[in-house]
Amino acid sequence: MRKIFSLLLLMTPLNIGAQNLQLHYDLGKDRKFYTATLEMFRPDSLGSTYWFVDLDFNFPGSPRSMSATYWEISRDFYIPWLKNNPSLKNLGFHMEYNDGFTAYRDSGEMMGAASYNSVFLTGASYPVKIGKVQITTQALLRMPKGMDGFPDFQVTLVWFQPVFRNRVLITGFIDFWTQDKMADPDKKEVVFQTEPQFWFLILPKLAIGSELEISKNFPAGPQDWHINPTVAFRWEF
């Protein structure tokens, strides 16, 4: 539920604005809970700012209460001295910060909270057009809190494609990054995460759709392949 920021300007003909609120119902095994997502994208003369917040509602014993939150904020800057270079004028400097926490109830009915490990990322972004599809690519250094040694590396792809006379939107992202193995911090592993979304506009600013969450070695989930579909509403405002 994230990372469509660098393509939102392409949505203007579809009356899709810079802010949207999504409500997803997770159909994954042993999940069956709601997640609300609030996104904001704003361009300016220096670049663009994007942030989103995810709120999970799955607290043990009180499933309608919030159980976790995760947020990201990022900033892309234009590079002024490249604006006259046709091949590099769209190259941008990217900065990003990710953080969040989860609440829990243990076997003794004690309640508590744990923080997700915050991560700072920085690097370059560049848009690529393949046919009619616009893909934003990012090459980033990934620096988690408490990092020991060299930064990890992350590659991100983000896409957006309207079809069927702009009534259907196909959006999503793919992330690859390296991290220390949980079982052996002296070794590295590759994390894969993708969340393609499919939306059907029933009104100019209201859509119904689905998201497919697919991951491998994701830090907050199982280390094997992890597949969760959702059904969702999306409201642009």
Side-chain angles (χ1 to χ4, degrees):
M1 284 161 256
R2 39 172 294 206
K3 290 185 179 293
I4 313 304
F5 60 100
S6 51
L7 300 171
L8 283 173
L9 285 180
L10 298 179
M11 297 181 181
T12 303
L14 306 177
N15 280 330
I16 292 185
Q19 293 85 225
N20 74 81
L21 178 65
Q22 303 174 24
L23 181 63
H24 292 253
Y25 183 68
D26 198 317
L27 299 172
K29 183 179 178 182
D30 300 324
R31 291 172 68 89
K32 307 298 189 294
F33 61 83
Y34 289 96
T35 295
T37 299
L38 179 64
E39 288 184 308
M40 190 282 293
F41 169 79
R42 180 170 296 169
D44 55 51
S45 60
L46 299 178
S48 61
T49 300
Y50 167 81
W51 58 259
F52 83 89
V53 179
D54 277 350
L55 304 173
D56 290 342
F57 296 88
N58 188 37
F59 191 78
S62 182
R64 294 184 181 179
S65 298
M66 192 180 75
S67 57
T69 182
Y70 175 79
W71 65 280
E72 295 186 4
I73 184 168
S74 64
R75 175 72 194 182
D76 275 48
F77 291 95
Y78 303 130
I79 302 177
W81 55 85
L82 296 179
K83 66 180 181 180
N84 295 322
N85 187 317
S87 60
L88 296 177
K89 65 180 181 179
N90 293 321
L91 184 67
F93 174 64
H94 182 88
M95 299 174 65
E96 182 177 331
Y97 179 75
N98 308 336
D99 207 344
F101 73 91
T102 181
Y104 62 88
R105 190 193 305 271
D106 64 20
S107 58
E109 294 300 305
M110 294 293 292
M111 291 187 294
S115 175
Y116 297 146
N117 197 28
S118 57
V119 179
F120 176 75
L121 302 98
T122 187
S125 62
Y126 190 79
V128 176
K129 195 167 186 179
I130 302 177
K132 295 182 179 181
V133 181
Q134 184 86 6
I135 299 176
T136 295
T137 64
Q138 297 172 358
L140 306 171
L141 295 177
R142 183 181 177 90
M143 292 165 276
K145 182 180 179 181
M147 179 183 68
D148 183 15
F150 293 103
D152 288 304
F153 190 72
Q154 177 168 318
V155 174
T156 294
L157 306 176
V158 185
W159 65 88
F160 167 84
Q161 179 62 45
V163 295
F164 299 114
R165 297 183 179 180
N166 297 336
R167 299 297 299 180
V168 175
L169 309 177
I170 302 173
T171 68
F173 73 92
I174 296 176
D175 283 339
F176 293 92
W177 74 83
T178 58
Q179 67 180 18
D180 295 339
K181 279 191 172 183
M182 297 183 68
D184 187 354
D186 293 330
K187 296 182 179 179
K188 294 288 185 180
E189 63 185 359
V190 176
V191 180
F192 170 84
Q193 183 186 24
T194 183
E195 294 183 3
Q197 295 182 346
F198 306 90
W199 299 102
F200 176 74
L201 275 71
I202 56 178
L203 293 171
K205 294 190 177 185
L206 182 64
I208 57 174
S210 178
E211 177 179 82
L212 191 61
E213 304 170 4
I214 305 172
S215 64
K216 178 72 166 66
N217 294 328
F218 189 64
Q223 298 304 291
D224 55 0
W225 285 102
H226 185 56
I227 302 175
N228 289 310
T230 75
V231 292
F233 288 92
R234 176 173 176 155
W235 173 48
E236 310 293 334
F237 59 95

Coordinates of all heavy atoms in Angstrom, one line a residue, residues 1 25-35 56-58 63 195 211 213 218 220-222 226-230:
M1 N 0.8 -1.2 0.0 CA 0.0 0.0 0.0 C 0.9 1.2 0.0 O 0.8 2.0 0.9 CB -0.9 0.0 1.2 CG -2.0 -0.9 1.1 SD -2.7 -1.3 2.7 CE -2.0 -2.9 3.0
Y25 N -9.2 -5.1 3.4 CA -9.5 -6.3 4.3 C -8.5 -7.4 3.9 O -8.6 -7.8 2.7 CB -10.9 -6.7 4.2 CG -11.2 -7.8 5.2 CD1 -11.2 -7.6 6.6 CD2 -11.5 -9.1 4.7 CE1 -11.5 -8.7 7.4 CE2 -11.8 -10.2 5.6 CZ -11.8 -9.9 6.9 OH -12.0 -11.0 7.8
D26 N -7.7 -7.8 4.8 CA -6.7 -8.8 4.4 C -7.3 -10.2 4.5 O -7.8 -10.7 5.5 CB -5.5 -8.7 5.5 CG -4.3 -9.4 5.0 OD1 -4.4 -10.5 4.4 OD2 -3.2 -8.8 5.2
L27 N -7.2 -10.9 3.4 CA -7.7 -12.3 3.2 C -6.7 -13.4 3.4 O -7.0 -14.6 3.2 CB -8.4 -12.5 1.8 CG -9.5 -11.5 1.5 CD1 -9.9 -11.6 0.1 CD2 -10.7 -11.8 2.4
G28 N -5.5 -13.0 3.8 CA -4.4 -14.0 4.0 C -4.7 -15.0 5.1 O -5.5 -14.7 6.0
K29 N -4.0 -16.1 5.1 CA -4.2 -17.1 6.1 C -3.8 -16.6 7.5 O -2.8 -15.9 7.7 CB -3.3 -18.3 5.8 CG -3.4 -19.5 6.8 CD -2.5 -20.7 6.4 CE -2.7 -21.8 7.4 NZ -1.8 -22.9 7.0
D30 N -4.7 -16.8 8.5 CA -4.5 -16.4 9.9 C -4.4 -14.9 10.0 O -3.8 -14.4 10.9 CB -3.3 -17.1 10.5 CG -3.4 -18.6 10.5 OD1 -4.5 -19.1 10.7 OD2 -2.3 -19.2 10.3
R31 N -5.0 -14.1 9.0 CA -4.9 -12.7 9.1 C -6.3 -12.1 9.3 O -6.7 -11.8 10.4 CB -4.2 -12.1 7.9 CG -2.7 -12.5 7.9 CD -2.0 -12.1 6.6 NE -1.9 -10.7 6.4 CZ -0.9 -9.9 6.8 NH1 0.1 -10.5 7.5 NH2 -0.8 -8.6 6.6
K32 N -7.1 -11.9 8.3 CA -8.5 -11.5 8.4 C -8.6 -10.3 9.2 O -9.4 -10.3 10.2 CB -9.3 -12.7 8.9 CG -9.2 -14.0 8.2 CD -9.7 -13.9 6.7 CE -9.7 -15.3 6.1 NZ -8.4 -15.9 5.9
F33 N -8.0 -9.2 8.8 CA -8.1 -7.9 9.6 C -8.1 -6.7 8.6 O -7.7 -6.9 7.4 CB -7.1 -7.8 10.6 CG -5.7 -7.8 10.2 CD1 -5.1 -6.6 9.7 CD2 -4.9 -8.9 10.2 CE1 -3.7 -6.6 9.2 CE2 -3.6 -8.9 9.8 CZ -3.0 -7.8 9.3
Y34 N -8.5 -5.6 9.1 CA -8.5 -4.4 8.3 C -7.2 -3.6 8.4 O -6.6 -3.5 9.5 CB -9.6 -3.4 8.7 CG -11.0 -4.0 8.3 CD1 -11.7 -4.7 9.3 CD2 -11.5 -3.8 7.1 CE1 -13.0 -5.2 9.0 CE2 -12.8 -4.3 6.7 CZ -13.5 -4.9 7.7 OH -14.8 -5.4 7.4
T35 N -6.8 -3.0 7.3 CA -5.7 -2.0 7.3 C -6.1 -0.7 6.6 O -6.7 -0.8 5.5 CB -4.4 -2.6 6.5 OG1 -3.9 -3.7 7.3 CG2 -3.3 -1.5 6.5
D56 N -2.9 -1.0 11.1 CA -3.5 -2.4 11.2 C -4.4 -2.4 12.4 O -4.1 -1.9 13.5 CB -2.4 -3.4 11.4 CG -1.6 -3.6 10.1 OD1 -2.0 -3.2 9.0 OD2 -0.5 -4.2 10.2
F57 N -5.6 -3.1 12.2 CA -6.6 -3.2 13.3 C -6.8 -4.7 13.5 O -7.6 -5.4 12.9 CB -7.9 -2.6 12.8 CG -7.8 -1.1 12.6 CD1 -7.4 -0.5 11.4 CD2 -8.0 -0.2 13.7 CE1 -7.3 0.8 11.2 CE2 -7.9 1.2 13.5 CZ -7.5 1.7 12.3
N58 N -5.9 -5.2 14.5 CA -5.9 -6.6 14.8 C -5.4 -6.9 16.2 O -4.6 -7.9 16.4 CB -5.1 -7.4 13.7 CG -5.2 -8.9 13.8 OD1 -6.2 -9.4 14.1 ND2 -4.1 -9.6 13.6
P63 N -10.2 -7.1 18.2 CA -9.8 -7.0 16.8 C -10.1 -5.7 16.1 O -9.6 -5.4 15.0 CB -10.5 -8.2 16.1 CG -11.6 -8.5 17.0 CD -11.2 -8.2 18.4
E195 N 3.8 -5.4 -4.1 CA 2.4 -5.2 -3.8 C 1.7 -4.6 -5.0 O 1.4 -3.4 -5.0 CB 2.3 -4.3 -2.5 CG 2.8 -4.9 -1.3 CD 2.6 -4.0 0.0 OE1 2.0 -3.0 -0.2 OE2 3.1 -4.4 1.1
E211 N -5.3 -5.7 -3.6 CA -3.9 -5.7 -3.5 C -3.4 -7.1 -3.2 O -4.0 -7.9 -2.5 CB -3.4 -4.8 -2.4 CG -1.9 -4.7 -2.2 CD -1.5 -3.7 -1.1 OE1 -1.6 -4.1 0.1 OE2 -1.2 -2.6 -1.4
E213 N -0.1 -8.9 -1.7 CA 1.1 -8.7 -1.0 C 2.0 -10.0 -1.1 O 1.5 -11.0 -0.6 CB 0.8 -8.3 0.5 CG 0.0 -7.1 0.7 CD -0.5 -7.0 2.1 OE1 0.0 -7.7 3.0 OE2 -1.3 -6.0 2.4
F218 N 10.9 -11.2 4.4 CA 10.4 -9.9 4.9 C 10.6 -9.8 6.5 O 10.2 -10.8 7.1 CB 9.0 -9.6 4.6 CG 8.6 -8.2 4.9 CD1 9.1 -7.1 4.2 CD2 7.6 -7.9 5.8 CE1 8.7 -5.8 4.4 CE2 7.2 -6.6 6.1 CZ 7.7 -5.6 5.4
A220 N 9.2 -8.4 9.0 CA 8.1 -8.4 10.0 C 7.2 -9.6 9.7 O 6.1 -9.7 10.3 CB 7.3 -7.2 9.9
G221 N 7.6 -10.6 8.8 CA 6.8 -11.7 8.5 C 7.5 -13.0 8.4 O 8.7 -13.0 8.8
P222 N 6.9 -14.0 7.9 CA 7.6 -15.3 7.7 C 8.8 -15.2 6.8 O 8.8 -14.4 5.9 CB 6.5 -16.2 7.1 CG 5.2 -15.6 7.4 CD 5.5 -14.1 7.5
H226 N 5.5 -15.4 1.3 CA 4.3 -14.9 2.1 C 3.4 -14.2 1.1 O 3.8 -13.2 0.5 CB 4.9 -13.9 3.1 CG 4.0 -13.3 4.1 ND1 3.2 -14.1 4.9 CD2 3.7 -12.0 4.4 CE1 2.4 -13.3 5.6 NE2 2.7 -12.0 5.3
I227 N 2.2 -14.7 0.9 CA 1.3 -14.2 -0.1 C -0.1 -13.9 0.6 O -0.7 -14.7 1.2 CB 1.1 -15.2 -1.3 CG1 2.4 -15.5 -1.9 CG2 0.1 -14.6 -2.3 CD1 2.3 -16.6 -3.0
N228 N -0.5 -12.6 0.5 CA -1.7 -12.2 1.1 C -2.5 -11.3 0.1 O -2.1 -10.2 -0.2 CB -1.5 -11.4 2.4 CG -1.0 -12.3 3.5 OD1 -1.5 -13.3 3.8 ND2 0.1 -11.8 4.1
P229 N -3.7 -11.7 -0.3 CA -4.6 -10.8 -1.1 C -5.5 -10.0 -0.2 O -5.7 -10.3 1.0 CB -5.4 -11.8 -1.9 CG -5.5 -13.0 -1.0 CD -4.2 -13.1 -0.2
T230 N -5.9 -8.8 -0.7 CA -6.9 -8.0 0.0 C -8.0 -7.6 -0.9 O -7.9 -7.7 -2.2 CB -6.2 -6.7 0.5 OG1 -6.0 -5.8 -0.5 CG2 -4.9 -7.0 1.2

